[in-house]
Amino acid sequence: MHSPKKSPKKPFLELWSTAARFNGAQGTGARWVTMIARRRAVDRVRAAQAARERDTLIARQALIPTEPDPSELVLGNAEVHRIRAALA
């Protein structure tokens, strides 16, 4: 996540690049700047939440075995032999 310390110019660049969209009839300049800052903050929070959810999903998938554990195969074979012996 980007912190304000890493890129202090980005909010100002966004204000500069979107200045043509400012409409004084819809509110004050301070309100417009606050709205842009709020949107950036919400975007950062959402990005952080999405990253946490993605990390959790990856961690859960890593816990799901894709191949049988060799010990399970051995125990499974032993169980099959016991069942066959009992049925014979």
Side-chain angles (χ1 to χ4, degrees):
M1 179 170 29
H2 298 288
S3 71
K5 292 178 185 176
K6 289 183 181 178
S7 57
K9 295 178 183 177
K10 284 187 178 183
F12 295 109
L13 289 173
E14 183 176 352
L15 289 171
W16 183 262
S17 65
T18 60
R21 288 191 238 160
F22 174 69
N23 182 352
Q26 293 180 336
T28 65
R31 181 175 164 93
W32 178 67
V33 170
T34 302
M35 179 190 66
I36 289 175
R38 180 185 179 281
R39 285 182 185 165
R40 288 180 66 84
V42 168
D43 288 346
R44 283 193 306 272
V45 169
R46 287 180 180 161
Q49 181 179 0
R52 282 192 306 273
E53 290 172 0
R54 186 175 48 251
D55 291 346
T56 300
L57 179 62
I58 290 169
R60 284 184 184 154
Q61 289 175 342
L63 295 175
I64 298 171
T66 56
E67 298 177 7
D69 186 334
S71 64
E72 291 176 0
L73 292 175
V74 171
L75 292 175
N77 287 338
E79 187 70 22
V80 168
H81 291 298
R82 281 198 297 263
I83 291 171
R84 286 186 180 156
L87 293 174

